[in-house]
Amino acid sequence: MNRRPPPRRPPASSKPPATKPAAPPVFEIEAEVVEGIEEIAAEELRRRFGASVQIGAARRTRTGPVNLPFTFAGNPKQLLKLRTVSALFLVQYVPEPRPRGILANHHFRDLLQQIAAVRAFVPDGSYQTFYLSAAGSDSPELVRLRDALAIQTGLDEAEGEGDLYLRLRRPPDGSEGWEVLIRLTPRPLATRPWRVRNRAGALNATVAHAMVLLTEPTTHDVFVNLGCGSGTLLIERREWGAAMRTVGCDTDPIARDDAAANLAASGYAARIEITDWDARAVPLPDRSADALVADLPFGIRMGAHADNVPLYPAMLAEAARLARDGARLVVITSESRLMESVLARQEAWHLERTLRIGLNGLYPRCYVLRRV
């Protein structure tokens, strides 16, 4: 009986055994976040980058924003995708007792390498100026540091916030030494490139994106922005992703012109509808909206309290007519007493969550409502 010969072993490979890929470098990063949305920003970090981020405890500052420290394993350029973060800084620790120690050959060389890496994230020519923020900035030590930075980077020193923005501070945990923070972009992430019309009272884009996330968006949403102003919420909804329909209404023709310009700059003009509808009488069918948002007039910089008294209940009632069961309405306003009194007198909306937002000295509330 014929027998199949035993299989021959392949010859031994002359190649060296495969090695595991090197682990990505880990960077110390600090995010600057609008007060009140730090939990949303932390969740965006986890959702986008998973185990690559390890987030520390948020730290409030005297000037308003919240600092959110984290480590990131990977290329920091990936972090520029974040939408709920105002600015990002690369943190370099220098274990020296005085600022002049930063100019020691190895510390200054490391700092210049970090600066060069950050500048490579954007096209050549994006950086023209630099600014070093530090206590005692006129001291001889810091003057020498600024002069050295100007020579080595080839950038002009700015009188205010420059393209290359650096901060020098003591470590927040009280340890010895210094930290140099390098902003990862020439302008804060909150300064969106699509905002070519910066209308007075326009909503901060990172807060707008947080509001979009609070609607729990899906790709099949009919998304309605009542009183859309210059289009911030509409653009940030499309920055999140696709929707079945995205429509905003505003009776102010100047606001609609501003929105049209911003939409054109964003590239979403063909996918967002801007209408002249009154937010109190929207010509859409009952229960046709999956998510609604509104940046209501605060009665401070925009609108007047006397006008808001009839507007708020009328707008909430119209939103209730439009909303499908379970749809969310996310509203931001500084008229918290008026808003809460209106909510107490209606039964269509269930208040799920309230966030206190810090915006340029104002503290509006963001209300997350669900249609019952």
Side-chain angles (χ1 to χ4, degrees):
M1 182 174 66
N2 293 330
R3 296 177 61 90
R4 180 178 298 176
R8 298 177 58 190
R9 292 185 178 181
S13 173
S14 59
K15 295 182 181 180
T19 58
K20 293 182 179 180
V26 177
F27 296 91
E28 296 283 339
I29 306 290
E30 185 169 282
E32 191 175 272
V33 182
V34 169
E35 180 182 352
I37 66 168
E38 55 268 28
E39 292 182 10
I40 299 172
E43 180 55 33
E44 185 189 9
L45 273 165
R46 296 187 191 99
R47 185 179 69 253
R48 286 183 181 272
F49 302 111
S52 296
V53 296
Q54 298 295 321
I55 302 173
R59 298 189 296 261
R60 300 198 179 277
T61 66
R62 295 178 182 177
T63 56
V66 172
N67 292 335
L68 189 65
F70 62 95
T71 60
F72 179 67
N75 184 346
K77 185 176 181 180
Q78 296 176 279
L79 298 171
L80 306 188
K81 303 172 185 175
L82 292 166
R83 309 303 298 173
T84 57
V85 166
S86 298
L88 288 163
F89 294 86
L90 184 64
V91 182
Q92 180 181 350
Y93 174 66
V94 181
E96 295 288 344
R98 297 185 64 82
R100 65 170 173 254
I102 298 170
L103 284 168
N105 284 343
H106 58 294
H107 294 318
F108 194 57
R109 182 177 62 249
D110 291 346
L111 175 59
L112 292 175
Q113 288 175 348
Q114 298 282 31
I115 290 172
V118 167
R119 293 176 69 178
F121 294 162
V122 295
D124 289 344
S126 299
Y127 287 91
Q128 301 293 327
T129 61
F130 81 95
Y131 181 75
L132 175 64
S133 173
S137 59
D138 293 332
S139 68
E141 291 178 323
L142 292 180
V143 169
R144 286 197 295 272
L145 177 57
R146 296 201 308 271
D147 289 345
L149 286 168
I151 292 169
Q152 295 299 322
T153 63
L155 302 177
D156 296 326
E157 185 176 1
E159 294 184 1
E161 186 174 312
D163 302 324
L164 177 64
Y165 182 61
L166 305 105
R167 291 177 182 162
L168 178 64
R169 71 181 185 196
R170 290 289 191 181
D173 62 6
S175 59
E176 294 296 324
W178 297 88
E179 288 181 345
V180 182
L181 283 71
I182 309 167
R183 192 171 64 194
L184 296 186
T185 50
R187 292 290 178 269
L189 290 179
T191 306
R192 305 292 206 240
W194 52 257
R195 196 184 291 281
V196 294
R197 298 277 185 90
N198 196 12
R199 184 173 172 79
L203 186 60
N204 178 287
T206 66
V207 174
H209 201 86
M211 290 175 63
V212 167
L213 295 177
L214 289 168
T215 69
E216 299 186 1
T218 70
T219 55
H220 61 258
D221 283 345
V222 172
F223 180 89
V224 178
N225 183 187
L226 301 170
C228 65
S230 56
T232 303
L233 281 158
L234 295 166
I235 294 170
E236 290 302 316
R237 174 58 182 83
R238 280 293 181 168
E239 286 288 313
W240 176 86
M244 188 71 68
R245 187 178 184 186
T246 310
V247 58
C249 61
D250 204 299
T251 56
D252 183 347
I254 298 175
R256 294 197 304 272
D257 285 346
D258 291 342
N262 287 334
L263 263 60
S266 74
Y268 297 121
R271 286 173 274 179
I272 295 174
E273 303 168 53
I274 300 291
T275 72
D276 61 357
W277 303 337
D278 189 320
R280 298 164 294 186
V282 176
L284 290 175
D286 294 356
R287 300 186 181 277
S288 59
D290 302 284
L292 302 98
V293 291
D295 175 13
L296 292 177
F298 288 7
I300 301 173
R301 295 174 181 170
M302 296 291 289
H305 174 74
D307 297 331
N308 292 342
V309 171
L311 171 66
Y312 280 31
M315 188 280 299
L316 278 178
E318 181 65 353
R321 182 189 69 80
L322 293 169
R324 294 193 173 104
D325 291 344
R328 281 175 173 77
L329 166 64
V330 181
V331 173
I332 188 169
T333 178
S334 277
E335 290 257 40
S336 54
R337 290 185 180 179
L338 173 59
M339 186 68 183
E340 287 159 18
S341 69
V342 172
L343 288 173
R345 298 195 304 268
Q346 58 81 47
E347 298 179 349
W349 296 104
H350 168 69
L351 177 61
E352 290 191 328
R353 187 176 179 186
T354 304
L355 289 77
R356 181 178 182 268
I357 309 295
L359 284 176
N360 301 321
L362 299 178
Y363 289 91
R365 287 344 189 238
C366 181
Y367 299 90
V368 183
L369 310 172
R370 178 174 54 80
R371 183 68 166 94
V372 294

